[in-house]
Amino acid sequence: MATETKKSGGIVETIKTVVYALLIAGVFRTLFFQPFWIPSGSMKDTLLIGDFLFVNKMAYGYSYASCPSVIIPQIGLDIDAQDICGMFDGDNSRFLGGEPQRGDVVVFRHPSTGRDFIKRLIGLPGDKVQVTNGVVFINGEEAPQEPAGTFEEVQSPQGPQRLRPRCENGPVGEGGACLKSRFIETLPGGSQHAILNIASQGSDNTPVYTVPEGHYFFMGDNRDNSSDSRVPSLANGVGFVPYENLVGRADRVMFSSAGRSMLFFWTWRGDRFFKAIE
């Protein structure tokens, strides 16, 4: 009898330990850092498919979007931040709010779908943003682009979704060199980052967008392969993003996997451990 009681007590203690650990992890994720796995190539070559990073939630303070979403399609689990903290949604404000800076790489909730996106902050509240022949103009000031060589990757399926890259050098066969022109863009204020070009397309020329107060304008660094603020959210784009939808700032890649899973350690990219995000 004593042995059974001891075993029962051990099981209870184990369950309590697991519960406490999950609670601590939940609080840590909600208040400080959120893990983020790069699923697409819209931010190449700043971020690659398979990059794993932590989002700094303290950078901009807290809103309903700071609550974690838990989405595991394989088992039908879909718990959204709105489900947990939706009562704080609607006033477009933040607790301990900080102002994002132009050029920051930011994770935010899509205004329509609620899914987490990661893009670069281009336009601040009140800015007038326009893209002409692939060049960004902010309040009439050109963001100059300096040629910076070529970005090369292998034409093959990438990441869990097995996405294939688009290439500037036309259709490329399996295993071939997929090339894109690379430029260094300088935003007003001096922030610099790399961008890629694939082809001339409609998103290279836009009307003038006036960013509303309390909202932000985002673009992907892989300019011709990004769904972003150049297209309204109701038309399968992103549109203007409310302040309260910001989740946090991405500062550093922790590690990166070129394979289908981050658990495939033999596919980890050795040159991206703790790489700063510029």
Side-chain angles (χ1 to χ4, degrees), residues 40-152:
S40 74
S42 69
M43 283 294 292
K44 291 177 182 177
D45 65 345
T46 304
L47 297 172
L48 304 180
I49 294 176
D51 280 353
F52 180 82
L53 50 91
F54 284 103
V55 179
N56 180 1
K57 290 189 170 184
M58 298 176 286
Y60 309 135
Y62 305 94
S63 71
Y64 86 98
S66 302
C67 284
S69 297
V70 183
I71 302 171
I72 308 177
Q74 294 84 347
I75 62 174
L77 186 62
D78 189 350
I79 301 175
D80 188 76
Q82 187 80 36
D83 300 329
I84 304 172
C85 299
M87 73 285 290
F88 301 114
D89 180 18
D91 62 358
N92 203 25
S93 64
R94 307 182 72 85
F95 176 67
L96 300 177
E99 293 298 325
Q101 302 299 308
R102 195 191 317 276
D104 285 358
V105 175
V106 180
V107 171
F108 58 87
R109 284 175 56 85
H110 189 285
S112 296
T113 68
R115 295 300 189 234
D116 287 345
F117 268 47
I118 185 166
K119 305 288 180 185
R120 190 175 299 277
L121 176 56
I122 299 295
L124 302 174
D127 281 346
K128 295 184 182 300
V129 181
Q130 184 176 25
V131 181
T132 302
N133 295 325
V135 177
V136 175
F137 289 81
I138 302 174
N139 300 321
E141 179 182 348
E142 177 183 351
Q145 300 176 4
E146 293 294 328
T150 302
F151 174 70
E152 179 176 338

Side-chain angles (χ1 to χ4, degrees), residues 8-57:
S8 176
I11 293 174
V12 171
E13 288 302 315
T14 299
I15 293 174
K16 287 169 62 176
T17 299
V18 171
V19 171
Y20 290 151
L22 291 174
L23 287 174
I24 292 172
V27 170
F28 184 84
R29 178 174 175 177
T30 299
L31 295 181
F32 303 111
F33 298 97
Q34 175 175 315
F36 193 85
W37 180 264
I38 302 299
S40 74
S42 69
M43 283 294 292
K44 291 177 182 177
D45 65 345
T46 304
L47 297 172
L48 304 180
I49 294 176
D51 280 353
F52 180 82
L53 50 91
F54 284 103
V55 179
N56 180 1
K57 290 189 170 184

Side-chain angles (χ1 to χ4, degrees), residues 153-173:
E153 57 187 335
V154 176
Q155 176 57 267
S156 63
Q158 300 178 354
Q161 301 179 53
R162 313 310 288 155
L163 301 176
R164 287 186 175 274
R166 292 177 59 201
C167 312
E168 187 178 16
N169 54 327
V172 175

